[in-house]
Amino acid sequence: MAAPTEPRACSIARTLEVVGEKWALLAVREVFLGNRRFDEMVRRTGAPRDTLTARLRTLVDSGVLQRRRYSDHPQRFEYHLTAAGRELYPVVLTLLRWGDEHLAGPDGPPLILEHDCGHRLIPEVSCQACGEVVEPADVTRRFPMSS
Amino acid sequence: MAAPTEPRACSIARTLEVVGEKWALLAVREVFLGNRRFDEMVRRTGAPRDTLTARLRTLVDSGVLQRRRYSDHPQRFEYHLTAAGRELYPVVLTLLRWGDEHLAGPDGPPLILEHDCGHRLIPEVSCQACGEVVEPADVTRRFPMSS
DNA sequence: GCGGTCAGTCCAGAATCTGGACGGACTCAT
DNA sequence: ATGAGTCCGTCCAGATTCTGGACTGACCGC
């Protein structure tokens, strides 16, 4: 028998299980932008209603969003970010930056963000310990991992 | 006629069109980890061969990976990151961190990275201009965008 | 009452993903 | 020179998922 080598246990894979389905991160994006209602999300993302229904359900189930009633008589709900959901902000920002740099049209990026420091926000990934910007070459695995 | 409101033009959506399909980012992860060959990626990711074939093709077509021949007689190829591909590192790191924090089992994160500064790498997103860690509350849209 | 908004559900067809088997072109050990 | 093993796919049919269009039900404002 050859070595089938288990698929790697990996936080990236696990994260993608939660937010990697189509439309999931776009729904999260809308909530970050302040659009918390179903119809608005459908319009802004372009997702099919059924798909968005399913996505919102799994995001709520996995603790990224919270479904909050804002009207009783016609039952109406809004989706809010949980603490875990808010921590997806770095993911959203890095995806945004990559698209800005590699897929922008002639008009430039369609959405410009401004940081409270007064400058246009260009997100970078840095090391918490030393504050330096992280490059692939500066990173090694602490445990090279068997095989 | 109501306002159907076009789906938002958005760099996040565009990025996800390239790397948002199932397995795409796991293939990229493997290349970052140094596994550049087809069979190795199949084993390490768990993706079906057909799916991986398709994913690698779109990643090559969209300029994230480069398919490089490393053997002639039995034609054999390796997949290398392009410059654009290497710039996905921040995306990969932020996904990794979220998984580490929210989906790790009792043994802790399955993969520990070390930064050249000597400490365990905990990736953060910071503002290029001021270096501060970015929080959702510190960011505004520069052009609130019509409608 | 009539039209509009909101948050979905229902459904059937389209697109995608999946795993298992198969192929060709090698290499290496026996 | 066989036979086993590796490597990189392809082929296919069945399962899963996505898709869009229509529909519901409860409101609101005029």
PDB file of all heavy atoms in Angstrom, chain B residues 52-73:
ATOM      1  N   LEU B  52      -8.749  19.449  -9.104  1.00  0.00           N
ATOM      2  CA  LEU B  52      -7.462  20.118  -9.000  1.00  0.00           C
ATOM      3  C   LEU B  52      -6.939  20.493 -10.390  1.00  0.00           C
ATOM      4  O   LEU B  52      -6.414  21.601 -10.583  1.00  0.00           O
ATOM      5  CB  LEU B  52      -6.449  19.241  -8.270  1.00  0.00           C
ATOM      6  CG  LEU B  52      -5.152  19.974  -7.947  1.00  0.00           C
ATOM      7  CD1 LEU B  52      -5.394  21.115  -6.971  1.00  0.00           C
ATOM      8  CD2 LEU B  52      -4.098  19.042  -7.419  1.00  0.00           C
ATOM      9  N   THR B  53      -7.107  19.602 -11.333  1.00  0.00           N
ATOM     10  CA  THR B  53      -6.717  19.924 -12.699  1.00  0.00           C
ATOM     11  C   THR B  53      -7.376  21.222 -13.151  1.00  0.00           C
ATOM     12  O   THR B  53      -6.721  22.134 -13.671  1.00  0.00           O
ATOM     13  CB  THR B  53      -7.149  18.797 -13.660  1.00  0.00           C
ATOM     14  OG1 THR B  53      -6.562  17.571 -13.225  1.00  0.00           O
ATOM     15  CG2 THR B  53      -6.711  19.082 -15.079  1.00  0.00           C
ATOM     16  N   ALA B  54      -8.671  21.311 -12.931  1.00  0.00           N
ATOM     17  CA  ALA B  54      -9.406  22.506 -13.358  1.00  0.00           C
ATOM     18  C   ALA B  54      -8.920  23.743 -12.608  1.00  0.00           C
ATOM     19  O   ALA B  54      -8.702  24.802 -13.199  1.00  0.00           O
ATOM     20  CB  ALA B  54     -10.906  22.298 -13.138  1.00  0.00           C
ATOM     21  N   ARG B  55      -8.728  23.619 -11.296  1.00  0.00           N
ATOM     22  CA  ARG B  55      -8.301  24.753 -10.487  1.00  0.00           C
ATOM     23  C   ARG B  55      -6.942  25.264 -10.911  1.00  0.00           C
ATOM     24  O   ARG B  55      -6.719  26.461 -11.067  1.00  0.00           O
ATOM     25  CB  ARG B  55      -8.243  24.307  -9.035  1.00  0.00           C
ATOM     26  CG  ARG B  55      -9.170  24.886  -8.081  1.00  0.00           C
ATOM     27  CD  ARG B  55     -10.316  25.661  -8.621  1.00  0.00           C
ATOM     28  NE  ARG B  55     -11.570  25.060  -8.282  1.00  0.00           N
ATOM     29  CZ  ARG B  55     -12.435  24.609  -9.164  1.00  0.00           C
ATOM     30  NH1 ARG B  55     -12.223  24.693 -10.453  1.00  0.00           N
ATOM     31  NH2 ARG B  55     -13.567  24.091  -8.778  1.00  0.00           N
ATOM     32  N   LEU B  56      -6.015  24.320 -11.117  1.00  0.00           N
ATOM     33  CA  LEU B  56      -4.675  24.740 -11.510  1.00  0.00           C
ATOM     34  C   LEU B  56      -4.742  25.472 -12.843  1.00  0.00           C
ATOM     35  O   LEU B  56      -4.054  26.468 -13.047  1.00  0.00           O
ATOM     36  CB  LEU B  56      -3.746  23.525 -11.597  1.00  0.00           C
ATOM     37  CG  LEU B  56      -3.403  22.890 -10.248  1.00  0.00           C
ATOM     38  CD1 LEU B  56      -2.644  21.586 -10.445  1.00  0.00           C
ATOM     39  CD2 LEU B  56      -2.589  23.847  -9.390  1.00  0.00           C
ATOM     40  N   ARG B  57      -5.607  25.007 -13.709  1.00  0.00           N
ATOM     41  CA  ARG B  57      -5.706  25.665 -15.003  1.00  0.00           C
ATOM     42  C   ARG B  57      -6.178  27.104 -14.836  1.00  0.00           C
ATOM     43  O   ARG B  57      -5.607  28.029 -15.423  1.00  0.00           O
ATOM     44  CB  ARG B  57      -6.654  24.885 -15.919  1.00  0.00           C
ATOM     45  CG  ARG B  57      -6.167  24.857 -17.358  1.00  0.00           C
ATOM     46  CD  ARG B  57      -7.217  24.288 -18.300  1.00  0.00           C
ATOM     47  NE  ARG B  57      -7.561  22.896 -17.992  1.00  0.00           N
ATOM     48  CZ  ARG B  57      -6.837  21.840 -18.388  1.00  0.00           C
ATOM     49  NH1 ARG B  57      -5.728  22.032 -19.083  1.00  0.00           N
ATOM     50  NH2 ARG B  57      -7.220  20.632 -18.086  1.00  0.00           N
ATOM     51  N   THR B  58      -7.224  27.306 -14.037  1.00  0.00           N
ATOM     52  CA  THR B  58      -7.690  28.693 -13.922  1.00  0.00           C
ATOM     53  C   THR B  58      -6.681  29.548 -13.160  1.00  0.00           C
ATOM     54  O   THR B  58      -6.535  30.723 -13.461  1.00  0.00           O
ATOM     55  CB  THR B  58      -9.083  28.817 -13.258  1.00  0.00           C
ATOM     56  OG1 THR B  58      -8.963  28.623 -11.849  1.00  0.00           O
ATOM     57  CG2 THR B  58     -10.056  27.803 -13.809  1.00  0.00           C
ATOM     58  N   LEU B  59      -5.974  28.964 -12.219  1.00  0.00           N
ATOM     59  CA  LEU B  59      -4.964  29.752 -11.506  1.00  0.00           C
ATOM     60  C   LEU B  59      -3.831  30.143 -12.437  1.00  0.00           C
ATOM     61  O   LEU B  59      -3.288  31.252 -12.347  1.00  0.00           O
ATOM     62  CB  LEU B  59      -4.429  28.975 -10.298  1.00  0.00           C
ATOM     63  CG  LEU B  59      -5.413  28.844  -9.125  1.00  0.00           C
ATOM     64  CD1 LEU B  59      -4.898  27.887  -8.084  1.00  0.00           C
ATOM     65  CD2 LEU B  59      -5.715  30.206  -8.509  1.00  0.00           C
ATOM     66  N   VAL B  60      -3.472  29.245 -13.324  1.00  0.00           N
ATOM     67  CA  VAL B  60      -2.449  29.584 -14.317  1.00  0.00           C
ATOM     68  C   VAL B  60      -2.986  30.649 -15.265  1.00  0.00           C
ATOM     69  O   VAL B  60      -2.334  31.666 -15.520  1.00  0.00           O
ATOM     70  CB  VAL B  60      -1.995  28.331 -15.084  1.00  0.00           C
ATOM     71  CG1 VAL B  60      -1.154  28.710 -16.299  1.00  0.00           C
ATOM     72  CG2 VAL B  60      -1.206  27.402 -14.165  1.00  0.00           C
ATOM     73  N   ASP B  61      -4.198  30.444 -15.740  1.00  0.00           N
ATOM     74  CA  ASP B  61      -4.781  31.403 -16.686  1.00  0.00           C
ATOM     75  C   ASP B  61      -4.918  32.794 -16.086  1.00  0.00           C
ATOM     76  O   ASP B  61      -4.830  33.795 -16.796  1.00  0.00           O
ATOM     77  CB  ASP B  61      -6.163  30.929 -17.146  1.00  0.00           C
ATOM     78  CG  ASP B  61      -6.066  29.723 -18.065  1.00  0.00           C
ATOM     79  OD1 ASP B  61      -4.941  29.366 -18.457  1.00  0.00           O
ATOM     80  OD2 ASP B  61      -7.115  29.124 -18.377  1.00  0.00           O
ATOM     81  N   SER B  62      -5.146  32.858 -14.802  1.00  0.00           N
ATOM     82  CA  SER B  62      -5.350  34.178 -14.213  1.00  0.00           C
ATOM     83  C   SER B  62      -4.067  34.738 -13.618  1.00  0.00           C
ATOM     84  O   SER B  62      -4.090  35.757 -12.942  1.00  0.00           O
ATOM     85  CB  SER B  62      -6.458  34.119 -13.168  1.00  0.00           C
ATOM     86  OG  SER B  62      -6.239  33.046 -12.288  1.00  0.00           O
ATOM     87  N   GLY B  63      -2.957  34.061 -13.890  1.00  0.00           N
ATOM     88  CA  GLY B  63      -1.676  34.675 -13.548  1.00  0.00           C
ATOM     89  C   GLY B  63      -1.244  34.505 -12.107  1.00  0.00           C
ATOM     90  O   GLY B  63      -0.371  35.233 -11.635  1.00  0.00           O
ATOM     91  N   VAL B  64      -1.833  33.566 -11.407  1.00  0.00           N
ATOM     92  CA  VAL B  64      -1.413  33.330 -10.023  1.00  0.00           C
ATOM     93  C   VAL B  64      -0.283  32.301  -9.983  1.00  0.00           C
ATOM     94  O   VAL B  64       0.652  32.428  -9.209  1.00  0.00           O
ATOM     95  CB  VAL B  64      -2.616  32.852  -9.177  1.00  0.00           C
ATOM     96  CG1 VAL B  64      -2.172  32.355  -7.811  1.00  0.00           C
ATOM     97  CG2 VAL B  64      -3.631  33.978  -9.035  1.00  0.00           C
ATOM     98  N   LEU B  65      -0.411  31.307 -10.819  1.00  0.00           N
ATOM     99  CA  LEU B  65       0.624  30.281 -10.883  1.00  0.00           C
ATOM    100  C   LEU B  65       1.238  30.245 -12.274  1.00  0.00           C
ATOM    101  O   LEU B  65       0.647  30.697 -13.259  1.00  0.00           O
ATOM    102  CB  LEU B  65       0.020  28.895 -10.569  1.00  0.00           C
ATOM    103  CG  LEU B  65      -0.573  28.689  -9.178  1.00  0.00           C
ATOM    104  CD1 LEU B  65      -1.145  27.283  -9.059  1.00  0.00           C
ATOM    105  CD2 LEU B  65       0.470  28.927  -8.110  1.00  0.00           C
ATOM    106  N   GLN B  66       2.440  29.671 -12.309  1.00  0.00           N
ATOM    107  CA  GLN B  66       3.107  29.462 -13.576  1.00  0.00           C
ATOM    108  C   GLN B  66       3.404  27.971 -13.676  1.00  0.00           C
ATOM    109  O   GLN B  66       3.880  27.358 -12.720  1.00  0.00           O
ATOM    110  CB  GLN B  66       4.414  30.254 -13.585  1.00  0.00           C
ATOM    111  CG  GLN B  66       5.040  30.361 -14.943  1.00  0.00           C
ATOM    112  CD  GLN B  66       6.538  30.631 -14.837  1.00  0.00           C
ATOM    113  OE1 GLN B  66       7.060  30.888 -13.763  1.00  0.00           O
ATOM    114  NE2 GLN B  66       7.217  30.556 -15.962  1.00  0.00           N
ATOM    115  N   ARG B  67       3.099  27.406 -14.837  1.00  0.00           N
ATOM    116  CA  ARG B  67       3.310  25.984 -15.033  1.00  0.00           C
ATOM    117  C   ARG B  67       4.649  25.817 -15.721  1.00  0.00           C
ATOM    118  O   ARG B  67       4.861  26.318 -16.820  1.00  0.00           O
ATOM    119  CB  ARG B  67       2.174  25.443 -15.920  1.00  0.00           C
ATOM    120  CG  ARG B  67       2.081  23.942 -16.026  1.00  0.00           C
ATOM    121  CD  ARG B  67       0.717  23.613 -16.611  1.00  0.00           C
ATOM    122  NE  ARG B  67       0.455  22.193 -16.770  1.00  0.00           N
ATOM    123  CZ  ARG B  67       0.518  21.541 -17.922  1.00  0.00           C
ATOM    124  NH1 ARG B  67       0.830  22.183 -19.041  1.00  0.00           N
ATOM    125  NH2 ARG B  67       0.241  20.258 -17.979  1.00  0.00           N
ATOM    126  N   ARG B  68       5.549  25.137 -15.027  1.00  0.00           N
ATOM    127  CA  ARG B  68       6.918  25.088 -15.511  1.00  0.00           C
ATOM    128  C   ARG B  68       7.319  23.636 -15.743  1.00  0.00           C
ATOM    129  O   ARG B  68       7.180  22.800 -14.851  1.00  0.00           O
ATOM    130  CB  ARG B  68       7.811  25.689 -14.422  1.00  0.00           C
ATOM    131  CG  ARG B  68       8.987  26.443 -14.939  1.00  0.00           C
ATOM    132  CD  ARG B  68       9.805  26.966 -13.779  1.00  0.00           C
ATOM    133  NE  ARG B  68       9.306  28.227 -13.226  1.00  0.00           N
ATOM    134  CZ  ARG B  68       9.832  28.829 -12.161  1.00  0.00           C
ATOM    135  NH1 ARG B  68      10.854  28.281 -11.531  1.00  0.00           N
ATOM    136  NH2 ARG B  68       9.333  29.947 -11.716  1.00  0.00           N
ATOM    137  N   ARG B  69       7.833  23.335 -16.918  1.00  0.00           N
ATOM    138  CA  ARG B  69       8.238  21.956 -17.200  1.00  0.00           C
ATOM    139  C   ARG B  69       9.530  21.626 -16.474  1.00  0.00           C
ATOM    140  O   ARG B  69      10.490  22.390 -16.523  1.00  0.00           O
ATOM    141  CB  ARG B  69       8.426  21.754 -18.705  1.00  0.00           C
ATOM    142  CG  ARG B  69       8.802  20.303 -19.060  1.00  0.00           C
ATOM    143  CD  ARG B  69       9.246  20.144 -20.493  1.00  0.00           C
ATOM    144  NE  ARG B  69       8.129  20.182 -21.432  1.00  0.00           N
ATOM    145  CZ  ARG B  69       7.823  21.225 -22.189  1.00  0.00           C
ATOM    146  NH1 ARG B  69       8.518  22.328 -22.110  1.00  0.00           N
ATOM    147  NH2 ARG B  69       6.815  21.170 -23.018  1.00  0.00           N
ATOM    148  N   TYR B  70       9.529  20.511 -15.792  1.00  0.00           N
ATOM    149  CA  TYR B  70      10.776  20.125 -15.113  1.00  0.00           C
ATOM    150  C   TYR B  70      11.298  18.806 -15.623  1.00  0.00           C
ATOM    151  O   TYR B  70      12.337  18.315 -15.202  1.00  0.00           O
ATOM    152  CB  TYR B  70      10.588  20.077 -13.592  1.00  0.00           C
ATOM    153  CG  TYR B  70       9.778  18.913 -13.074  1.00  0.00           C
ATOM    154  CD1 TYR B  70      10.388  17.717 -12.714  1.00  0.00           C
ATOM    155  CD2 TYR B  70       8.403  19.008 -12.929  1.00  0.00           C
ATOM    156  CE1 TYR B  70       9.643  16.652 -12.230  1.00  0.00           C
ATOM    157  CE2 TYR B  70       7.655  17.959 -12.443  1.00  0.00           C
ATOM    158  CZ  TYR B  70       8.280  16.783 -12.096  1.00  0.00           C
ATOM    159  OH  TYR B  70       7.542  15.734 -11.623  1.00  0.00           O
ATOM    160  N   SER B  71      10.566  18.205 -16.538  1.00  0.00           N
ATOM    161  CA  SER B  71      11.044  16.968 -17.146  1.00  0.00           C
ATOM    162  C   SER B  71      10.462  16.885 -18.548  1.00  0.00           C
ATOM    163  O   SER B  71       9.292  17.215 -18.763  1.00  0.00           O
ATOM    164  CB  SER B  71      10.621  15.760 -16.317  1.00  0.00           C
ATOM    165  OG  SER B  71      10.502  14.607 -17.137  1.00  0.00           O
ATOM    166  N   ASP B  72      11.292  16.439 -19.497  1.00  0.00           N
ATOM    167  CA  ASP B  72      10.844  16.454 -20.888  1.00  0.00           C
ATOM    168  C   ASP B  72      10.234  15.144 -21.289  1.00  0.00           C
ATOM    169  O   ASP B  72       9.164  15.097 -21.857  1.00  0.00           O
ATOM    170  CB  ASP B  72      12.032  16.756 -21.803  1.00  0.00           C
ATOM    171  CG  ASP B  72      12.136  18.242 -22.052  1.00  0.00           C
ATOM    172  OD1 ASP B  72      11.088  18.892 -22.070  1.00  0.00           O
ATOM    173  OD2 ASP B  72      13.275  18.737 -22.203  1.00  0.00           O
ATOM    174  N   HIS B  73      10.962  14.066 -21.046  1.00  0.00           N
ATOM    175  CA  HIS B  73      10.551  12.835 -21.667  1.00  0.00           C
ATOM    176  C   HIS B  73       9.243  12.324 -21.162  1.00  0.00           C
ATOM    177  O   HIS B  73       8.300  12.260 -21.938  1.00  0.00           O
ATOM    178  CB  HIS B  73      11.699  11.847 -21.732  1.00  0.00           C
ATOM    179  CG  HIS B  73      12.631  12.363 -22.807  1.00  0.00           C
ATOM    180  ND1 HIS B  73      12.127  12.987 -23.928  1.00  0.00           N
ATOM    181  CD2 HIS B  73      13.970  12.440 -22.897  1.00  0.00           C
ATOM    182  CE1 HIS B  73      13.143  13.407 -24.676  1.00  0.00           C
ATOM    183  NE2 HIS B  73      14.278  13.086 -24.068  1.00  0.00           N
TER     184      HIS B  73
END
